Amino acid sequence: MEGGAAAATPTALPYYVAFSQLLGLTLVAMTGAWLGLYRGGIAWESDLQFNAHPLCMVIGLIFLQGNALLVYRVFRNEAKRTTKVLHGLLHIFALVIALVGEFPGAAFPATCLPLQAWWRCSTTTGRRATLTCTAYTAGAGS
């Protein structure tokens, strides 16, 4: 349907998008407040470095990836190349922030001591990373 008329935008879409953005920002703010008030804050070079994990996961895997999915609905009348580039950039930023949150401020082997961390490291660097790289390559190639 590349050559057809532009699809009509639902009248309630701006309200749904505004609500989703408000909900996402509220979730990020509540996670930050929880970490600051009840978990002692966030630090890069102390015992608090692993408090960055929940905040980075919420920002990257919930907020930014949700926005990456909304790009195609919000910018439905823009050029397809523009929306694809924005969609890809948001996914790349989400991946980078999630990886920073996965291993905050420490060397890779030092974070993989407990059994749960070994499982997390194997899935992050194994199948999921392979699928993510394959998806990025296929998306960039198309």
Side-chain angles (χ1 to χ4, degrees), residues 16-139:
Y16 291 141
V17 171
F19 178 72
S20 72
Q21 294 302 304
L22 184 64
L23 192 63
L25 290 173
T26 302
L27 180 64
V28 170
M30 287 177 59
T31 304
W34 169 67
L35 289 170
L37 296 174
Y38 298 107
R39 303 277 299 173
I42 298 172
W44 197 253
E45 296 289 335
S46 75
D47 292 338
L48 299 175
Q49 70 185 5
F50 290 105
N51 285 352
H53 174 80
L55 187 62
C56 286
M57 293 299 146
V58 167
I59 291 171
L61 297 180
I62 295 175
F63 187 69
L64 287 179
Q65 282 195 346
N67 282 330
L69 297 175
L70 279 174
V71 162
Y72 287 112
R73 291 285 180 204
V74 173
F75 300 114
R76 66 183 340 157
N77 295 327
E78 299 297 321
K80 188 172 183 179
R81 181 177 295 271
T82 305
T83 55
K84 286 178 97 171
V85 167
L86 182 58
H87 175 79
L89 285 174
L90 284 172
H91 274 300
I92 288 171
F93 290 148
L95 178 67
V96 168
I97 290 173
L99 287 175
V100 166
E102 191 70 31
F103 311 107
F108 181 79
T111 62
C112 290
L113 296 177
L115 182 62
Q116 185 267 342
W118 271 105
W119 177 252
R120 183 179 70 230
C121 292
S122 67
T123 56
T124 300
T125 58
R127 293 179 304 245
R128 189 170 28 177
T130 303
L131 290 173
T132 302
C133 290
T134 304
Y136 281 149
T137 305

